[in-house]
Tab-separated table of all heavy atoms in Angstrom:
chain	number	residue	atom	x	y	z
A	105	GLY	N	19.914	16.843	15.711
A	105	GLY	CA	19.786	15.814	16.738
A	105	GLY	C	20.849	15.926	17.814
A	105	GLY	O	20.574	15.721	19.003
A	106	ASN	N	22.069	16.263	17.401
A	106	ASN	CA	23.134	16.480	18.389
A	106	ASN	C	22.792	17.640	19.313
A	106	ASN	O	22.968	17.554	20.537
A	106	ASN	CB	24.468	16.754	17.685
A	106	ASN	CG	25.159	15.488	17.257
A	106	ASN	OD1	25.646	14.713	18.074
A	106	ASN	ND2	25.194	15.250	15.964
A	107	PHE	N	22.314	18.719	18.721
A	107	PHE	CA	21.954	19.893	19.521
A	107	PHE	C	20.825	19.567	20.496
A	107	PHE	O	20.912	19.867	21.690
A	107	PHE	CB	21.549	21.041	18.592
A	107	PHE	CG	21.030	22.246	19.315
A	107	PHE	CD1	21.898	23.137	19.923
A	107	PHE	CD2	19.662	22.488	19.392
A	107	PHE	CE1	21.414	24.261	20.604
A	107	PHE	CE2	19.168	23.596	20.058
A	107	PHE	CZ	20.046	24.479	20.671
A	108	LEU	N	19.759	18.956	19.992
A	108	LEU	CA	18.620	18.633	20.844
A	108	LEU	C	18.980	17.610	21.916
A	108	LEU	O	18.509	17.692	23.049
A	108	LEU	CB	17.459	18.105	19.991
A	108	LEU	CG	16.718	19.127	19.139
A	108	LEU	CD1	15.607	18.463	18.344
A	108	LEU	CD2	16.143	20.241	20.008
A	109	GLY	N	19.828	16.645	21.551
A	109	GLY	CA	20.247	15.645	22.526
A	109	GLY	C	20.973	16.268	23.701
A	109	GLY	O	20.716	15.917	24.868
A	110	LEU	N	21.850	17.204	23.416
A	110	LEU	CA	22.570	17.898	24.488
A	110	LEU	C	21.635	18.756	25.322
A	110	LEU	O	21.777	18.841	26.544
A	110	LEU	CB	23.695	18.755	23.889
A	110	LEU	CG	24.871	17.968	23.285
A	110	LEU	CD1	25.829	18.914	22.580
A	110	LEU	CD2	25.591	17.173	24.356
A	111	ARG	N	20.675	19.415	24.663
A	111	ARG	CA	19.719	20.242	25.394
A	111	ARG	C	18.847	19.399	26.322
A	111	ARG	O	18.608	19.773	27.466
A	111	ARG	CB	18.836	21.009	24.406
A	111	ARG	CG	19.567	22.081	23.625
A	111	ARG	CD	19.989	23.241	24.508
A	111	ARG	NE	18.849	23.949	25.061
A	111	ARG	CZ	18.930	24.884	25.988
A	111	ARG	NH1	20.113	25.211	26.483
A	111	ARG	NH2	17.851	25.490	26.437
A	112	VAL	N	18.391	18.266	25.827
A	112	VAL	CA	17.565	17.373	26.652
A	112	VAL	C	18.370	16.858	27.827
A	112	VAL	O	17.894	16.814	28.968
A	112	VAL	CB	17.018	16.202	25.805
A	112	VAL	CG1	16.353	15.157	26.693
A	112	VAL	CG2	16.031	16.708	24.766
A	113	GLU	N	19.626	16.483	27.567
A	113	GLU	CA	20.493	15.977	28.641
A	113	GLU	C	20.723	17.043	29.703
A	113	GLU	O	20.730	16.756	30.903
A	113	GLU	CB	21.823	15.504	28.043
A	113	GLU	CG	22.690	14.702	28.983
A	113	GLU	CD	23.595	15.571	29.823
A	113	GLU	OE1	23.903	16.693	29.384
A	113	GLU	OE2	23.996	15.129	30.926
A	114	GLN	N	20.888	18.290	29.282
A	114	GLN	CA	21.072	19.380	30.237
A	114	GLN	C	19.812	19.618	31.055
A	114	GLN	O	19.890	19.907	32.253
A	114	GLN	CB	21.466	20.664	29.494
A	114	GLN	CG	22.871	20.633	28.926
A	114	GLN	CD	23.176	21.844	28.070
A	114	GLN	OE1	22.310	22.677	27.816
A	114	GLN	NE2	24.409	21.949	27.597
A	115	LYS	N	18.651	19.477	30.427
A	115	LYS	CA	17.398	19.676	31.143
A	115	LYS	C	17.157	18.556	32.154
A	115	LYS	O	16.657	18.795	33.258
A	115	LYS	CB	16.224	19.754	30.160
A	115	LYS	CG	16.219	20.999	29.282
A	115	LYS	CD	15.992	22.255	30.113
A	115	LYS	CE	15.924	23.484	29.225
A	115	LYS	NZ	15.741	24.726	30.026
A	116	LEU	N	17.505	17.332	31.768
A	116	LEU	CA	17.333	16.208	32.688
A	116	LEU	C	18.269	16.318	33.883
A	116	LEU	O	17.926	15.937	34.994
A	116	LEU	CB	17.570	14.878	31.958
A	116	LEU	CG	16.519	14.478	30.919
A	116	LEU	CD1	16.952	13.199	30.215
A	116	LEU	CD2	15.153	14.295	31.560
A	117	ALA	N	19.506	16.827	33.621
A	117	ALA	CA	20.512	17.019	34.682
A	117	ALA	C	20.668	15.753	35.517
A	117	ALA	O	20.477	15.746	36.728
A	117	ALA	CB	20.140	18.207	35.563
A	118	LEU	N	21.039	14.673	34.854
A	118	LEU	CA	21.156	13.390	35.532
A	118	LEU	C	22.486	13.261	36.265
A	118	LEU	O	23.485	13.835	35.867
A	118	LEU	CB	21.040	12.255	34.499
A	118	LEU	CG	19.738	12.200	33.703
A	118	LEU	CD1	19.860	11.201	32.575
A	118	LEU	CD2	18.570	11.853	34.602
A	119	GLY	N	22.483	12.487	37.324
A	119	GLY	CA	23.720	12.096	37.986
A	119	GLY	C	24.189	13.006	39.101
A	119	GLY	O	23.504	13.943	39.521
A	120	GLN	N	25.392	12.701	39.561
A	120	GLN	CA	26.017	13.405	40.673
A	120	GLN	C	27.298	14.081	40.182
A	120	GLN	O	27.922	13.620	39.235
A	120	GLN	CB	26.375	12.422	41.786
A	120	GLN	CG	25.242	11.505	42.214
A	120	GLN	CD	24.383	12.098	43.299
A	120	GLN	OE1	24.713	13.152	43.826
A	120	GLN	NE2	23.301	11.444	43.641
A	121	MET	N	27.655	15.158	40.844
A	121	MET	CA	28.879	15.877	40.510
A	121	MET	C	29.717	16.044	41.772
A	121	MET	O	29.174	16.234	42.866
A	121	MET	CB	28.553	17.267	39.938
A	121	MET	CG	27.522	17.277	38.819
A	121	MET	SD	28.062	16.427	37.334
A	121	MET	CE	29.264	17.583	36.701
A	122	VAL	N	31.032	15.972	41.614
A	122	VAL	CA	31.925	16.264	42.731
A	122	VAL	C	32.485	17.668	42.516
A	122	VAL	O	32.956	18.006	41.430
A	122	VAL	CB	33.060	15.223	42.860
A	122	VAL	CG1	33.907	15.153	41.607
A	122	VAL	CG2	33.938	15.541	44.066
A	123	VAL	N	32.379	18.476	43.546
A	123	VAL	CA	32.850	19.866	43.492
A	123	VAL	C	34.034	20.001	44.438
A	123	VAL	O	33.948	19.631	45.607
A	123	VAL	CB	31.738	20.848	43.906
A	123	VAL	CG1	32.238	22.285	43.818
A	123	VAL	CG2	30.501	20.659	43.035
A	124	ARG	N	35.142	20.528	43.924
A	124	ARG	CA	36.331	20.808	44.736
A	124	ARG	C	36.513	22.315	44.810
A	124	ARG	O	36.503	22.986	43.777
A	124	ARG	CB	37.575	20.164	44.133
A	124	ARG	CG	37.519	18.658	44.038
A	124	ARG	CD	38.815	18.120	43.440
A	124	ARG	NE	38.772	16.676	43.268
A	124	ARG	CZ	38.294	16.064	42.190
A	124	ARG	NH1	37.824	16.784	41.183
A	124	ARG	NH2	38.296	14.747	42.105
A	125	VAL	N	36.667	22.808	45.994
A	125	VAL	CA	36.824	24.248	46.191
A	125	VAL	C	38.140	24.503	46.908
A	125	VAL	O	38.436	23.870	47.929
A	125	VAL	CB	35.660	24.833	47.026
A	125	VAL	CG1	35.796	26.353	47.118
A	125	VAL	CG2	34.319	24.444	46.435
A	126	ILE	N	38.933	25.425	46.382
A	126	ILE	CA	40.183	25.835	47.014
A	126	ILE	C	40.075	27.324	47.310
A	126	ILE	O	39.854	28.136	46.411
A	126	ILE	CB	41.397	25.569	46.108
A	126	ILE	CG1	41.493	24.080	45.777
A	126	ILE	CG2	42.683	26.037	46.780
A	126	ILE	CD1	42.594	23.741	44.789
A	127	THR	N	40.211	27.676	48.573
A	127	THR	CA	40.104	29.077	48.966
A	127	THR	C	41.191	29.441	49.966
A	127	THR	O	41.517	28.654	50.865
A	127	THR	CB	38.712	29.374	49.567
A	127	THR	OG1	38.677	30.720	50.030
A	127	THR	CG2	38.383	28.433	50.709
A	128	VAL	N	41.765	30.628	49.778
A	128	VAL	CA	42.797	31.108	50.698
A	128	VAL	C	42.157	31.607	51.987
A	128	VAL	O	42.698	31.428	53.073
A	128	VAL	CB	43.633	32.232	50.027
A	128	VAL	CG1	44.658	32.790	51.008
A	128	VAL	CG2	44.314	31.702	48.775
A	129	GLU	N	40.987	32.205	51.858
A	129	GLU	CA	40.298	32.719	53.037
A	129	GLU	C	39.769	31.575	53.888
A	129	GLU	O	39.484	30.484	53.375
A	129	GLU	CB	39.131	33.611	52.596
A	129	GLU	CG	39.556	34.828	51.792
A	129	GLU	CD	38.370	35.668	51.380
A	129	GLU	OE1	37.263	35.393	51.875
A	129	GLU	OE2	38.562	36.585	50.569
A	130	PRO	N	39.635	31.781	55.211
A	130	PRO	CA	39.058	30.744	56.074
A	130	PRO	C	37.682	30.331	55.570
A	130	PRO	O	36.861	31.185	55.210
A	130	PRO	CB	38.972	31.428	57.442
A	130	PRO	CG	40.024	32.487	57.391
A	130	PRO	CD	40.073	32.958	55.974
A	131	ALA	N	37.437	29.020	55.528
A	131	ALA	CA	36.226	28.506	54.896
A	131	ALA	C	35.108	28.224	55.886
A	131	ALA	O	34.119	27.587	55.519
A	131	ALA	CB	36.561	27.242	54.115
A	132	ASP	N	35.233	28.703	57.121
A	132	ASP	CA	34.222	28.392	58.131
A	132	ASP	C	32.822	28.862	57.719
A	132	ASP	O	31.839	28.128	57.844
A	132	ASP	CB	34.605	29.022	59.479
A	132	ASP	CG	35.880	28.421	60.039
A	132	ASP	OD1	36.209	27.290	59.632
A	132	ASP	OD2	36.543	29.075	60.873
A	133	LYS	N	32.721	30.096	57.237
A	133	LYS	CA	31.417	30.631	56.852
A	133	LYS	C	30.838	29.880	55.655
A	133	LYS	O	29.639	29.609	55.594
A	133	LYS	CB	31.532	32.123	56.535
A	133	LYS	CG	31.852	32.984	57.751
A	133	LYS	CD	31.898	34.453	57.369
A	133	LYS	CE	32.202	35.319	58.590
A	133	LYS	NZ	32.271	36.766	58.237
A	134	LEU	N	31.709	29.554	54.711
A	134	LEU	CA	31.254	28.803	53.541
A	134	LEU	C	30.757	27.425	53.955
A	134	LEU	O	29.712	26.962	53.479
A	134	LEU	CB	32.383	28.673	52.521
A	134	LEU	CG	32.081	27.831	51.272
A	134	LEU	CD1	30.889	28.402	50.519
A	134	LEU	CD2	33.310	27.747	50.378
A	135	ILE	N	31.480	26.778	54.848
A	135	ILE	CA	31.067	25.454	55.330
A	135	ILE	C	29.720	25.534	56.030
A	135	ILE	O	28.838	24.700	55.806
A	135	ILE	CB	32.146	24.881	56.280
A	135	ILE	CG1	33.422	24.573	55.500
A	135	ILE	CG2	31.642	23.627	56.990
A	135	ILE	CD1	34.594	24.189	56.371
A	136	ASP	N	29.544	26.563	56.861
A	136	ASP	CA	28.273	26.722	57.572
A	136	ASP	C	27.113	26.943	56.605
A	136	ASP	O	26.025	26.401	56.790
A	136	ASP	CB	28.365	27.890	58.561
A	136	ASP	CG	29.294	27.594	59.740
A	136	ASP	OD1	29.528	26.394	60.010
A	136	ASP	OD2	29.772	28.552	60.370
A	137	ARG	N	27.348	27.727	55.555
A	137	ARG	CA	26.291	27.999	54.586
A	137	ARG	C	25.930	26.742	53.807
A	137	ARG	O	24.753	26.460	53.571
A	137	ARG	CB	26.720	29.102	53.619
A	137	ARG	CG	26.734	30.491	54.250
A	137	ARG	CD	26.899	31.565	53.216
A	137	ARG	NE	25.795	31.566	52.259
A	137	ARG	CZ	25.712	32.412	51.234
A	137	ARG	NH1	26.662	33.314	51.040
A	137	ARG	NH2	24.699	32.368	50.405
A	138	LEU	N	26.938	25.982	53.409
A	138	LEU	CA	26.670	24.746	52.677
A	138	LEU	C	25.958	23.725	53.558
A	138	LEU	O	25.018	23.055	53.123
A	138	LEU	CB	27.980	24.165	52.128
A	138	LEU	CG	28.640	24.966	51.000
A	138	LEU	CD1	30.027	24.438	50.700
A	138	LEU	CD2	27.770	24.930	49.743
A	139	LYS	N	26.396	23.626	54.814
A	139	LYS	CA	25.723	22.725	55.747
A	139	LYS	C	24.285	23.167	55.984
A	139	LYS	O	23.379	22.335	56.103
A	139	LYS	CB	26.477	22.695	57.075
A	139	LYS	CG	27.750	21.865	57.061
A	139	LYS	CD	28.372	21.847	58.445
A	139	LYS	CE	29.623	20.980	58.479
A	139	LYS	NZ	30.245	20.971	59.832
A	140	GLY	N	24.077	24.486	56.059
A	140	GLY	CA	22.737	25.007	56.268
A	140	GLY	C	21.783	24.662	55.141
A	140	GLY	O	20.570	24.592	55.346
A	141	HIS	N	22.327	24.445	53.950
A	141	HIS	CA	21.503	24.062	52.805
A	141	HIS	C	21.422	22.541	52.660
A	141	HIS	O	20.883	22.046	51.657
A	141	HIS	CB	22.063	24.674	51.521
A	141	HIS	CG	21.774	26.137	51.381
A	141	HIS	ND1	22.553	27.109	51.991
A	141	HIS	CD2	20.781	26.796	50.732
A	141	HIS	CE1	22.066	28.304	51.691
A	141	HIS	NE2	20.985	28.149	50.940
A	142	GLY	N	21.982	21.805	53.622
A	142	GLY	CA	21.851	20.356	53.615
A	142	GLY	C	22.925	19.603	52.860
A	142	GLY	O	22.780	18.404	52.609
A	143	TYR	N	24.035	20.276	52.501
A	143	TYR	CA	25.103	19.599	51.767
A	143	TYR	C	26.123	19.017	52.744
A	143	TYR	O	26.486	19.660	53.725
A	143	TYR	CB	25.804	20.561	50.806
A	143	TYR	CG	24.886	21.140	49.769
A	143	TYR	CD1	24.511	22.479	49.820
A	143	TYR	CD2	24.374	20.356	48.744
A	143	TYR	CE1	23.654	23.017	48.867
A	143	TYR	CE2	23.529	20.889	47.787
A	143	TYR	CZ	23.169	22.220	47.863
A	143	TYR	OH	22.329	22.740	46.925
A	144	ARG	N	26.590	17.825	52.446
A	144	ARG	CA	27.656	17.218	53.228
A	144	ARG	C	28.975	17.470	52.511
A	144	ARG	O	29.053	17.376	51.281
A	144	ARG	CB	27.433	15.710	53.374
A	144	ARG	CG	26.349	15.369	54.371
A	144	ARG	CD	26.337	13.884	54.644
A	144	ARG	NE	25.536	13.571	55.810
A	144	ARG	CZ	25.444	12.351	56.329
A	144	ARG	NH1	26.091	11.357	55.790
A	144	ARG	NH2	24.691	12.140	57.400
A	145	LEU	N	29.995	17.766	53.273
A	145	LEU	CA	31.285	18.077	52.659
A	145	LEU	C	32.433	17.664	53.563
A	145	LEU	O	32.253	17.356	54.741
A	145	LEU	CB	31.364	19.570	52.326
A	145	LEU	CG	31.099	20.567	53.468
A	145	LEU	CD1	32.349	20.878	54.238
A	145	LEU	CD2	30.510	21.847	52.897
A	146	THR	N	33.606	17.657	52.965
A	146	THR	CA	34.845	17.380	53.685
A	146	THR	C	35.784	18.541	53.478
A	146	THR	O	35.953	19.014	52.343
A	146	THR	CB	35.501	16.079	53.169
A	146	THR	OG1	34.593	14.995	53.348
A	146	THR	CG2	36.793	15.787	53.918
A	147	CYS	N	36.399	19.027	54.553
A	147	CYS	CA	37.324	20.157	54.480
A	147	CYS	C	38.709	19.695	54.910
A	147	CYS	O	38.859	19.001	55.921
A	147	CYS	CB	36.839	21.299	55.361
A	147	CYS	SG	37.912	22.753	55.311
A	148	ILE	N	39.712	20.092	54.146
A	148	ILE	CA	41.092	19.714	54.430
A	148	ILE	C	41.958	20.968	54.441
A	148	ILE	O	41.839	21.822	53.557
A	148	ILE	CB	41.635	18.737	53.362
A	148	ILE	CG1	40.776	17.467	53.314
A	148	ILE	CG2	43.095	18.389	53.637
A	148	ILE	CD1	41.140	16.530	52.189
A	149	ASP	N	42.801	21.085	55.447
A	149	ASP	CA	43.801	22.156	55.452
A	149	ASP	C	44.955	21.737	54.558
A	149	ASP	O	45.545	20.670	54.745
A	149	ASP	CB	44.299	22.409	56.880
A	149	ASP	CG	43.220	22.997	57.777
A	149	ASP	OD1	42.363	23.736	57.254
A	149	ASP	OD2	43.210	22.695	58.985
A	150	ALA	N	45.270	22.564	53.588
A	150	ALA	CA	46.312	22.226	52.621
A	150	ALA	C	47.242	23.416	52.435
A	150	ALA	O	47.048	24.487	53.021
A	150	ALA	CB	45.683	21.811	51.291
Side-chain angles (χ1 to χ4, degrees):
N106 278 290
F107 174 79
L108 287 180
L110 291 173
R111 291 291 296 171
V112 171
E113 192 273 335
Q114 289 174 355
K115 292 294 183 182
L116 291 176
L118 300 170
Q120 309 272 353
M121 310 295 287
V122 59
V123 181
R124 299 181 183 87
V125 185
I126 300 175
T127 176
V128 177
E129 299 180 9
D132 295 338
K133 293 182 179 179
L134 176 59
I135 292 172
D136 291 338
R137 287 191 61 181
L138 291 170
K139 283 183 178 179
H141 284 83
Y143 299 109
R144 284 190 167 185
L145 54 87
T146 301
C147 181
I148 301 173
D149 293 328

